[in-house]
Amino acid sequence: MTTVEHSAVIAQPRPLLARPTKTSGWTSWFTTIDHKKIGIMYGATALIFLVAGGIEALLIRLQLWRPNGTILTAATYNQLFTMHGTTMVFLVGMPLAVAFGNFLVPLMIGARDVAFPRINMLGYWVFLFGGIFLYSSFLFGSAPNGGWFGYTPLTSTPLAHGFLPSRGPDFWAVGLIMLGIGSVTSGVNFIVTILNMRAPGMTLLRMPVFVWMTFIIAMLTLFALPPVTAALIQVYMDRNFGTNFFNAAQGGDPLLYQHLFWLFGHPEVYILILPGMGIVSETLPVFSRKPLFGARVVVMSGIAIGFVGWGVWVHHMYATGLGPATTTGFGIATMAIAVPTGVKIFNWLGTVWGGAVRLTTSMLFSLGFIAMFTLGGLSGVMHSIVPSNAQQHDTYFVVAHFHYVLFGGLVFAIFSGFYYWWPKAFGHFLSEKMGKINFWLLFIGFNLTFFPMHIVGLQGMPRRTYTYGAGHGWELLNQMETVGAFIIALSVLVFFVNVIASRIRNDVAPADPWDGRTLEWSIPSPVPAYNFLEIPEVHEFDDFWHKKYTEDEEGRLVRLPSGGSDAGQHEVSDGSHIHLPSPSYWPMVFALGLPISGYGFVFKNWLLVGVGVAVLMFGLTAWLIEPDTAHEDH
Amino acid sequence: MLQAKMRRGRPMKLKALLVLGVVAAAGCGASTNTQSTFEPHGKIARDDKNIFMGFFWVAAVIGVLICLAVVFAAIRFRERPGNENPKQIHGHTQLEIAWTILPALILTVMGVFTVSMIWDQAAKPAGAMEITVTGKQWWWQFQYTKVDGQTKQVVTANELHIPAGKPIWLTLKSDNVNHSFWIPALAGKKDNIDGHLNNIQMIADIDLLKQPESKRWFDGQCAQYCGLSHADMRVKAKVDTDDEFKTWYASQLTSWTSDAVAKFKKWDDIYTCSSCHYIQGLAKDNTDAKVQSGEAPVPINRGPNLTHLADRTSFAGAKYALTLDNLTQWIYDAQAHSAGEFGKPMECPNYQKDKVLCVGMPAFKDWPGHKMTMAEAKEIAQFLLDQKST
């Protein structure tokens, strides 16, 4: 008996198909498990969705150009604002954070890949298929139309006598559940990678701030997705199986949904903004040639935000009548979270102050981030004043506020990150000249679009309205916003032109083009598949910087004669001796099962659900029994 | 290494100017906006504005200072020959403590004011007039359930009448999706949620009585996304003198004359108007008596109460002015004048079988069995406008 078991252990499981081996060429992108390639795919896909969400925004702005606009019908408008919000949060904001995290975290902690490369690949394909699934709803004339927040009972009443005359809410609920699976897998992956795969000597407090922020968002993702997933399943069941979770007439409670949604939704806001905070915490020190001011305080305040962020969700619900005790508590919590946020802003300013500032495109975007995020933060504090929130809630003032945080904040930081790490990812610079045009157009367009929204909101214009009447003095401000939106579009276009032109021009980047501080600048650009020829040993925060510089008695920088990139050693060895896991087909097959059963759930076709589950199980089984590496390696 | 070009931070300064712009807009205000939080005409709205403006100034100063600091730092500390190697400052404990404590202090002051106002506004004022506000798809129903101690119910729609200076206690509810009742000049908003009862205090300024009647009308609209026609779900409030209010209140309790009821019946038999619209005098059983005594909730409220439509200035969620032409068009083909699509089969699949769940006014020009003519629509509209009580 023991013999049998023994031989079973020794025998290699028979692969269903041999593992793919190609790591270059276009087909390799479908099977890659390289965290850098997956990061780039996340980024590229998110940018495509950014264009889709942007086009939706432009149509919205065209409709609101003048009172009683007739460019869109109410039904189309409601679909567009729902999809704009859903796209920007789930298909642009979160994936961009994952893109940067994927590409950078292993490089910054001195690892060769993430902890679970195939789960990482799964996360990407789930995201891509989930996004396509959501957008395919347009083909069925059933784009989601209940708002990105999908309040019940609007969304949860059964289709036959429903308040929303389409399968939009089904597409929305099923699509978001699917995307949530992808988010949770990447969250788990980041947590394990960051905790377990740091290079020797990289203690938690020696980790770059960007890695810290990624760690916090991964924790938030892990705990925030379950409540919303439960809520979405309940919405789906109310609509399709006759349950009454949110049906007040049968003892359910529409308000329950809002608690579950915002218990996710508010941490989600921090999931979206913390990566931006991480990015500028890397760029500002480099372009100021000074260490991050109060680096530990910046990390601690990030952790504080991560905790307090769980206790503020009701500030989305002050108008729902939860009573003075509830609003008092959550009002105070909302004010409290402004403190660690403010601390971060002051520390970033302290970083720039007294430095040697290089106004590169990346730095401009980072400085823009500080200014715009500050304004968004201040209007956010205004929401904690519960009585005045009763006037601001659900108006354009709120639209202005969160665009200052998420666009002025996150998107500016993302662009800063693009210009900063582009050379590392692709081996060439983006054009600084076009970059500056990119920045100034975005800066002007952004403020022209969103600043007037503060005013028009306080002048009484509610959100999510497909039209407005003349006579309230809203016309001019709305026209400014529409013009601004097109300037933003132009700016994004400049960015895409820059990407293509810079690729053609190919201004080759060295390993350490910005005089960087973190480990990724110690290896060649673009990064070889194995990342580090030798796993580095870390002695300090900003370890790479301290290999290049020391400080004299007055605290001034002194360059070490021997310092710099160890890129030279790569000429000695091509790294072919480094064992890397092989690519795989199966996570993609697994992911493909999800939209198939998704369509089954939306159209209540249980056979199709079964087919999807079968595909998924097939992919999973093949994944489990495939050999560790391709045969060629043996 | 890339050559950094020096740039002036002009648009950042532009930003500061814009901040000042909003202050100006807030301070002076556009004087004709009847839906603005900047022009409060009620106690709650004024308190909301004052506490907002108090913090706004603090925030404006902080915001401008930080933006200016960013611009200043970018220019003053830009890299130039001689300062390539700046002093390396890793942090400063006293500064960290200072910029943690200072904002916390500001927020504490703000918090004290906020909390006291929260509790202030949550209390029901003694002797308040009580009105129940029901959010419908897509119009508002008002039931006056307690006026000067009386419980006779006035049932009306889309136009709220309140006496100046008197405390009002609104009870918000919904029997369908969520809505949010909001008249910015009078009070902040609160949601109408099925299964929940919410309240708003409202006290219109007594000063308003110095204004002519036409200056005592205020606009609002539903603030919570409630489906297709959310943007069309508007509301008006009229602040009355005591006498105006008493006259109006008494008039709303009256029923149609028997002649009027008889005349309307011939249309009602064909188009079943009264199956959705409450009409005092036409309602079956003893509904009228029950409503007047406050015993029964409104029995028929799928559409607005039509009895005193003629006394209102607008209809269809207060979106259209009440004119003969508008009303004729609406009765003839409401679908063409609403958000446009709620009469299509998908929207209202079981109009005849399942009226409870159907929303919106049908297009009577396509009424099954008896297509309405434009002339007929005009006749009905004229009839409704003739039922003026004053």
Side-chain angles (χ1 to χ4, degrees):
Chain A
M1 202 170 147
T2 34
T3 349
V4 175
E5 272 181 7
H6 188 64
S7 64
V9 169
I10 286 173
Q12 282 287 329
R14 243 188 98 238
L16 209 58
L17 277 169
R19 270 182 97 141
T21 51
K22 278 184 77 175
T23 52
S24 60
W26 67 273
T27 50
S28 71
W29 291 89
F30 292 93
T31 55
T32 187
I33 56 170
D34 179 340
H35 73 97
K36 298 177 292 295
K37 281 188 169 176
I38 292 174
I40 290 166
M41 286 155 82
Y42 262 110
T45 311
L47 284 176
I48 292 168
F49 284 122
L50 176 78
V51 172
I55 289 171
E56 285 151 9
L58 292 179
L59 289 170
I60 286 170
R61 286 312 327 161
L62 280 176
Q63 165 74 1
L64 298 178
W65 168 257
R66 60 185 184 82
N68 304 312
T70 51
I71 290 167
L72 304 173
T73 63
T76 310
Y77 184 92
N78 293 345
Q79 292 179 338
L80 290 179
F81 85 72
T82 300
M83 283 305 284
H84 171 74
T86 307
T87 303
M88 291 308 191
V89 170
F90 294 100
L91 304 178
V92 179
M94 290 176 88
L96 279 175
V98 179
F100 277 90
N102 239 304
F103 186 85
L104 290 172
V105 164
L107 301 185
M108 284 182 154
I109 63 173
R112 291 211 166 107
D113 207 322
V114 292
F116 307 117
R118 283 179 294 178
I119 289 181
N120 196 21
M121 176 191 181
L122 172 72
Y124 169 75
W125 291 102
V126 171
F127 155 55
L128 178 69
F129 293 148
I132 293 171
F133 173 81
L134 262 178
Y135 266 86
S136 71
S137 61
F138 279 106
L139 300 177
F140 298 97
S142 282
N145 50 358
W148 90 275
F149 49 96
Y151 276 4
T152 58
L154 184 66
T155 49
S156 61
T157 314
L159 176 64
H161 29 84
F163 298 117
L164 290 174
S166 77
R167 296 192 185 278
D170 297 308
F171 267 109
W172 180 79
V174 174
L176 292 200
I177 291 170
M178 211 184 293
L179 290 168
I181 295 171
S183 300
V184 169
T185 56
S186 48
V188 170
N189 213 344
F190 280 135
I191 292 168
V192 179
T193 304
I194 292 168
L195 289 180
N196 286 355
M197 298 185 65
R198 280 167 288 137
M202 179 159 283
T203 59
L204 287 178
L205 282 174
R206 286 180 192 160
M207 282 197 319
V209 175
F210 177 82
V211 178
W212 257 109
M213 295 303 128
T214 305
F215 179 69
I216 297 168
I217 67 159
M219 294 299 280
L220 290 176
T221 306
L222 192 60
F223 292 106
L225 264 303
V228 77
T229 305
L232 292 168
I233 291 171
Q234 288 174 318
V235 165
Y236 180 82
M237 289 173 70
D238 268 17
R239 279 180 69 83
N240 295 291
F241 300 145
T243 57
N244 290 305
F245 292 109
F246 307 121
N247 180 2
Q250 297 293 327
D253 187 359
L255 205 48
L256 168 67
Y257 174 86
Q258 295 193 26
H259 284 287
L260 291 171
F261 184 81
W262 289 114
L263 192 51
F264 148 80
H266 202 81
E268 170 69 23
V269 173
Y270 295 107
I271 292 171
L272 291 170
I273 190 61
L274 285 169
M277 294 176 165
I279 289 171
V280 300
S281 298
E282 300 303 327
T283 56
L284 290 170
V286 167
F287 293 116
S288 306
R289 293 177 68 76
K290 267 183 71 204
L292 183 64
F293 198 93
R296 288 188 181 191
V297 182
V298 173
V299 169
M300 293 305 164
S301 57
I303 296 171
I305 291 171
F307 277 106
V308 185
W310 292 99
V312 297
W313 81 90
V314 165
H315 73 213
H316 299 266
M317 299 169 61
Y318 289 146
T320 58
L322 295 171
T326 316
T327 49
T328 296
F330 282 88
I332 290 170
T334 304
M335 291 178 192
I337 206 165
V339 174
T341 313
V343 165
K344 276 186 179 310
I345 292 170
F346 292 124
N347 277 297
W348 291 323
L349 260 178
T351 306
V352 182
W353 207 267
V357 176
R358 279 177 290 161
L359 286 180
T360 57
T361 304
S362 174
M363 185 60 167
L364 284 175
F365 274 112
S366 289
L367 293 173
F369 166 93
I370 301 179
M372 299 302 95
F373 177 75
T374 300
L375 298 184
L378 287 167
S379 59
V381 176
M382 292 173 190
H383 296 142
S384 69
I385 309 169
V386 181
S388 77
N389 178 274
Q391 293 284 24
Q392 299 151 9
H393 183 64
D394 276 333
T395 70
Y396 267 91
F397 186 87
V398 176
V399 181
H401 156 69
F402 68 74
H403 279 94
Y404 265 83
V405 173
L406 295 181
F407 194 145
L410 176 67
V411 176
F412 273 61
I414 291 284
F415 272 110
S416 178
F418 279 148
Y419 281 90
Y420 180 60
W421 280 295
W422 205 269
K424 185 52 62 187
F426 301 104
H428 62 262
F429 288 100
L430 284 175
S431 156
E432 281 287 299
K433 206 170 180 180
M434 274 197 260
K436 301 242 160 93
I437 299 171
N438 183 188
F439 169 77
W440 288 112
L441 281 177
L442 196 70
F443 188 84
I444 293 165
F446 168 77
N447 281 295
L448 191 59
T449 308
F450 296 106
F451 201 85
M453 288 187 187
H454 291 110
I455 304 170
V456 84
L458 293 173
Q459 286 180 346
M461 184 168 173
R463 316 161 63 173
R464 302 164 184 145
T465 47
Y466 77 93
T467 188
Y468 57 96
H472 295 304
W474 300 339
E475 293 85 345
L476 178 65
L477 292 168
N478 271 288
Q479 288 178 355
M480 287 164 71
E481 290 159 20
T482 303
V483 172
F486 278 87
I487 297 177
I488 293 173
L490 186 62
S491 170
V492 174
L493 188 67
V494 169
F495 174 75
F496 284 119
V497 171
N498 193 354
V499 167
I500 295 164
S502 298
R503 188 179 171 82
I504 295 167
R505 200 183 46 156
N506 197 20
D507 180 5
V508 176
D512 182 19
W514 312 113
D515 208 1
R517 312 178 73 89
T518 35
L519 289 178
E520 76 273 26
W521 304 110
S522 69
I523 51 179
S525 308
V527 183
Y530 48 83
N531 296 354
F532 294 90
L533 198 55
E534 272 177 55
I535 298 300
E537 198 167 319
V538 176
H539 303 282
E540 283 172 89
F541 180 71
D542 281 346
D543 196 68
F544 180 54
W545 179 261
H546 292 289
K547 286 207 172 80
K548 297 186 287 187
Y549 292 97
T550 185
E551 292 168 23
D552 64 16
E553 305 87 68
E554 286 173 7
R556 302 223 166 250
L557 275 184
V558 179
R559 186 175 265 280
L560 292 168
S562 61
S565 160
D566 62 347
Q569 66 175 281
H570 289 275
E571 287 154 24
V572 181
S573 163
D574 65 354
S576 57
H577 63 283
I578 295 169
H579 172 84
L580 291 170
S582 300
S584 175
Y585 301 106
W586 305 116
M588 183 172 45
V589 174
F590 180 111
L592 193 62
L594 289 172
I596 295 174
S597 43
Y599 287 113
F601 279 113
V602 167
F603 294 102
K604 289 182 124 177
N605 182 334
W606 308 122
L607 183 68
L608 203 55
V609 172
V611 171
V613 171
V615 170
L616 187 148
M617 291 311 292
F618 173 70
L620 181 64
T621 312
W623 174 348
L624 291 175
I625 63 171
E626 78 180 337
D628 287 348
T629 45
H631 282 298
E632 282 77 359
D633 282 9
H634 288 280
Chain B
M1 203 160 303
L2 291 180
Q3 182 62 45
K5 279 204 187 109
M6 201 195 81
R7 287 270 179 165
R8 295 281 164 199
R10 190 172 43 80
M12 296 266 194
K13 280 175 188 160
L14 199 75
K15 155 121 259 79
L17 282 177
L18 275 168
V19 172
L20 292 176
V22 74
V23 174
C28 316
S31 57
T32 52
N33 185 353
T34 48
Q35 193 169 324
S36 174
T37 68
F38 290 134
E39 295 164 61
H41 291 285
K43 179 184 178 292
I44 305 297
R46 180 165 302 100
D47 287 351
D48 292 350
K49 182 194 164 188
N50 288 345
I51 197 169
F52 171 77
M53 290 311 292
F55 182 69
F56 170 79
W57 287 109
V58 178
V61 170
I62 297 171
V64 169
L65 283 181
I66 290 180
C67 288
L68 288 178
V70 170
V71 177
F72 175 81
I75 295 168
R76 168 70 183 74
F77 301 111
R78 72 189 181 279
E79 186 181 46
R80 57 172 95 80
N83 86 331
E84 298 93 340
N85 294 319
K87 195 168 176 209
Q88 301 293 292
I89 303 159
H90 297 268
H92 194 287
T93 311
Q94 281 87 348
L95 265 178
E96 298 285 358
I97 293 170
W99 62 46
T100 306
I101 298 219
L102 265 177
L105 282 178
I106 295 174
L107 290 165
T108 306
V109 174
M110 201 176 97
V112 170
F113 283 104
T114 299
V115 172
S116 80
M117 199 179 280
I118 289 174
W119 289 84
D120 229 29
Q121 296 188 348
K124 180 178 177 180
M129 178 184 293
E130 293 178 32
I131 305 169
T132 300
V133 181
T134 311
K136 312 288 288 186
Q137 277 186 317
W138 290 275
W139 56 281
W140 299 96
Q141 176 173 277
F142 302 113
Q143 286 166 261
Y144 290 67
T145 54
K146 196 171 174 191
V147 175
D148 293 334
Q150 292 190 56
T151 54
K152 286 182 177 179
Q153 287 198 27
V154 157
V155 183
T156 184
N158 298 328
E159 293 182 4
L160 178 73
H161 281 253
I162 57 171
K166 295 265 168 66
I168 315 286
W169 187 244
L170 301 174
T171 300
L172 311 180
K173 59 181 215 178
S174 169
D175 56 8
N176 51 87
V177 301
N178 303 349
H179 303 276
S180 194
F181 184 70
W182 187 37
I183 301 176
L186 295 176
K189 67 184 71 64
K190 215 162 243 182
D191 292 354
N192 302 62
I193 302 171
D194 196 4
H196 292 256
L197 296 177
N198 288 331
N199 297 102
I200 295 180
Q201 255 188 52
M202 197 177 261
I203 306 170
D205 290 345
I206 197 93
D207 283 4
L208 278 170
L209 296 181
K210 294 176 193 150
Q211 304 282 341
E213 230 178 319
S214 64
K215 296 267 182 193
R216 288 189 258 123
W217 282 93
F218 301 102
D219 291 315
Q221 71 187 90
C222 177
Q224 181 58 270
Y225 177 59
C226 55
L228 191 69
S229 272
H230 166 56
D232 299 327
M233 188 170 166
R234 304 181 194 170
V235 61
K236 286 177 185 294
K238 159 85 189 307
V239 178
D240 286 337
T241 64
D242 260 7
D243 284 348
E244 282 166 3
F245 183 77
K246 276 187 184 126
T247 312
W248 175 83
Y249 179 74
S251 74
Q252 300 301 302
L253 288 166
T254 61
S255 300
W256 280 0
T257 62
S258 50
D259 284 355
V261 169
K263 187 170 182 192
F264 190 72
K265 267 213 140 111
K266 68 176 183 198
W267 293 311
D268 194 36
D269 287 345
I270 303 167
Y271 302 114
T272 65
C273 313
S274 66
S275 66
C276 293
H277 294 282
Y278 181 39
I279 293 163
Q280 288 149 235
L282 186 76
K284 291 163 186 77
D285 309 326
N286 56 350
T287 312
D288 285 344
K290 279 186 174 170
V291 168
Q292 289 226 357
S293 69
E295 192 185 322
V298 184
I300 303 153
N301 63 1
R302 287 188 281 276
N305 185 345
L306 281 188
T307 321
H308 298 287
L309 175 67
D311 294 345
R312 306 203 275 267
T313 65
S314 60
F315 69 99
K319 193 186 178 188
Y320 295 108
L322 187 75
T323 64
L324 177 62
D325 191 44
N326 281 351
L327 193 57
T328 304
Q329 295 289 335
W330 181 259
I331 293 170
Y332 181 67
D333 186 7
Q335 299 303 319
H337 299 276
S338 60
E341 302 193 6
F342 59 124
K344 288 185 178 165
M346 246 337 232
E347 296 284 344
C348 197
N350 307 308
Y351 178 71
Q352 307 250 257
K353 281 177 274 172
D354 192 3
K355 285 173 185 149
V356 182
L357 292 155
C358 176
V359 288
M361 171 106 160
F364 284 106
K365 73 178 174 62
D366 301 323
W367 191 244
H370 196 288
K371 293 185 166 46
M372 189 185 278
T373 63
M374 188 65 95
E376 206 176 2
K378 191 169 181 179
E379 209 181 331
I380 298 171
Q382 186 61 60
F383 168 85
L384 288 170
L385 293 179
D386 286 343
Q387 307 307 310
K388 231 175 156 57
S389 54
T390 44

